[in-house]
Amino acid sequence: SSEARLYTFSQETKDKLRKFRLGTSRAQKPQAVIYTIDAKTLEIHQAGDEVYSKLADVADELPDNKPAFVLLSYPLTLDSGRLSVPYVMLYYLPVSCRSELRMTYAAAKELMRNTAEVGKIIEIDSAEDLEDEEE
């Protein structure tokens, strides 16, 4: 696809994505990492090395006017008593971001989903949406 030629992941980023995904399956607490796209090179990479365990901390790190992809796994106990650890991607698209950025991230969304191997994408448009999810 044209997106795969336009956007790139370094091998280091692919390795980090895989390690994060594999490491989250037995997580005892929520884990989240933030990914952004470099505007010049169109390389998708992790923003910093931080792995967040609180959604409020992720919300604090999200820029007010720039989109981001947040990979999130969070343990929950099902009605059956079994532990489940869903692995999802939050597609953060603030209302105030420029239309070029919107298009850049929209075009890369499926590639990011497939490369990170997440099952579900949840779209949010403000950092407060994250804090609401935690309650």
Side-chain angles (χ1 to χ4, degrees), residues 7-8 25 32-34 48 51 58 62-63 77 79 81 88 98 101-102 104 119 126-127:
Y7 300 98
T8 60
S25 60
V33 286
I34 299 172
V51 176
V58 175
L62 290 173
T77 306
D79 292 340
V88 300
R98 297 191 331 266
L101 280 175
R102 282 180 178 278
T104 299
S126 83

Side-chain angles (χ1 to χ4, degrees), residues 32-43:
V33 286
I34 299 172
Y35 277 78
T36 57
I37 300 174
D38 183 296
K40 289 182 180 64
T41 64
L42 295 183
E43 183 182 326

Side-chain angles (χ1 to χ4, degrees), residues 7-130:
Y7 300 98
T8 60
F9 291 91
S10 68
Q11 189 57 51
E12 181 190 1
T13 296
K14 287 180 181 175
D15 293 344
K16 274 186 175 178
L17 282 167
R18 185 165 189 275
K19 186 175 175 224
F20 182 74
R21 181 178 56 82
L22 295 174
T24 59
S25 60
R26 293 173 303 283
Q28 300 299 309
K29 60 186 196 270
Q31 293 186 312
V33 286
I34 299 172
Y35 277 78
T36 57
I37 300 174
D38 183 296
K40 289 182 180 64
T41 64
L42 295 183
E43 183 182 326
I44 302 172
H45 58 87
Q46 189 173 335
D49 289 324
E50 186 107 21
V51 176
Y52 302 93
S53 58
K54 290 193 176 87
L55 290 178
D57 294 342
V58 175
D60 290 344
E61 287 301 313
L62 290 173
D64 293 336
N65 54 4
K66 192 175 172 217
F69 300 121
V70 179
L71 299 177
L72 170 67
S73 78
Y74 53 97
L76 23 107
T77 306
L78 304 173
D79 292 340
S80 65
R82 217 169 51 90
L83 181 70
S84 172
V85 186
Y87 179 53
V88 300
M89 181 173 92
L90 303 178
Y91 175 43
Y92 171 65
L93 197 62
V95 181
S96 60
C97 75
R98 297 191 331 266
S99 57
E100 310 91 86
L101 280 175
R102 282 180 178 278
M103 289 188 291
T104 299
Y105 278 77
K109 181 171 70 168
E110 285 303 316
L111 180 66
M112 180 67 188
R113 170 195 213 151
N114 295 337
T115 306
E117 297 180 53
V118 294
K120 183 177 178 189
I121 296 177
I122 300 170
E123 296 195 13
I124 59 172
D125 62 11
S126 83
E128 284 77 54
D129 291 349
L130 266 183

